[in-house]
Amino acid sequence: MPVITRCASALQFPVQEMLCKYFITYLVNVIQAVFFGICVLTDLSSLLTRGSGNQEQERQLKKLISLRDWMLAVLAFPVGVFVVAVFWIIYAYDREMIYPKLLDNFIPGWLNHGMHTTVLPFILIEMRTSHHAYPSRSSGLAAICTFSVGYILWVCWVHHVTGMWVYPFLEHIGPGARIIFFGSTTILMNFLYLLGEVLNSYIWDTQRSLEEEKEKPKLE
């Protein structure tokens, strides 16, 4: 009976709410999976090409490193931090808006944290353990704006095709408020990009300073 009851409750759970609450989460999970896959591939390629003297392999490795760094700067960090921050802020305010208690019957707590919490510490660990060269600020901001606008256009396209908003609260606000919301989202994504750039510089500038301090006595 409990299983039947749970299944019946699941069938009553609106498809619109499922799309609302999980599309961006799925998107972030895909971004994280691709990004960390590239990180692993980069590390393996670095080990295999070390000392080989093969210029072609070194050229391919540099391309992989550039792709890894670009993904961290433009997608993995800003989008990951956005999802973690927005999810837990809304959860603290009213969990029914983002993660209804009904879902506790199907999704264990550890899996919820796996989707909405661990993204941030893993990204910070990666940023701390590997140096990443950020793209120029103009090109980086242009890329994150393109991603944000593309996502907003997808949300509008879904509404155009299905007649429903992926995020239900958009149905209860006017066109002007929607424009403000979409604009604020884009501004926030740009801010998170800049935050990642500053944080990356701080981590590695501090590390470089510490290494220089250690080398000074040796030189003297």
Side-chain angles (χ1 to χ4, degrees), residues 190-207:
N190 279 268
F191 170 77
L192 292 174
Y193 171 85
L194 294 174
L195 176 63
E197 182 183 58
V198 171
L199 183 60
N200 183 68
S201 297
Y202 172 78
I203 290 172
W204 289 99
D205 287 347
T206 302
Q207 180 70 20

Side-chain angles (χ1 to χ4, degrees), residues 23 143-157 186:
F23 180 79
I144 195 65
C145 283
T146 301
F147 173 84
S148 300
V149 171
Y151 184 76
I152 291 169
L153 291 176
W154 179 89
V155 171
C156 294
W157 180 80
T186 303

Side-chain angles (χ1 to χ4, degrees), residues 118-183:
T118 58
V119 172
L120 181 56
F122 285 157
I123 284 294
L124 293 177
I125 291 170
E126 169 63 23
M127 186 177 283
R128 177 63 184 83
T129 55
S130 299
H131 178 264
H132 297 83
Y134 265 59
S136 66
R137 182 167 293 182
S138 58
S139 62
L141 290 175
I144 195 65
C145 283
T146 301
F147 173 84
S148 300
V149 171
Y151 184 76
I152 291 169
L153 291 176
W154 179 89
V155 171
C156 294
W157 180 80
V158 170
H159 175 261
H160 175 73
V161 172
T162 65
M164 71 177 187
W165 287 105
V166 173
Y167 301 97
F169 72 89
L170 292 174
E171 297 177 356
H172 305 293
I173 60 178
R178 292 189 194 114
I179 292 173
I180 293 173
F181 169 74
F182 290 141

Side-chain angles (χ1 to χ4, degrees), residues 1-77:
M1 286 299 291
V3 174
I4 296 175
T5 302
R6 291 181 181 181
C7 291
S9 298
L11 291 173
Q12 295 172 3
F13 196 74
V15 174
Q16 182 179 3
E17 291 187 16
M18 291 294 290
L19 284 171
C20 162
K21 296 173 177 64
Y22 299 113
F23 180 79
I24 187 65
T25 297
Y26 293 148
L27 180 61
V28 168
N29 289 337
V30 170
I31 290 172
Q32 300 297 321
V34 173
F35 169 68
F36 283 109
I38 292 173
C39 288
V40 172
L41 185 59
T42 301
D43 291 341
L44 290 176
S45 299
S46 179
L47 289 173
L48 293 174
T49 58
R50 184 176 297 171
S52 65
N54 189 314
Q55 293 184 350
E56 179 60 27
Q57 289 182 347
E58 291 179 357
R59 192 178 300 113
Q60 295 301 322
L61 177 59
K62 288 181 180 178
K63 290 181 180 179
L64 268 178
I65 292 174
S66 297
L67 177 60
R68 179 201 65 184
D69 294 349
W70 185 89
M71 279 203 69
L72 174 87
V74 175
L75 295 176
F77 183 86

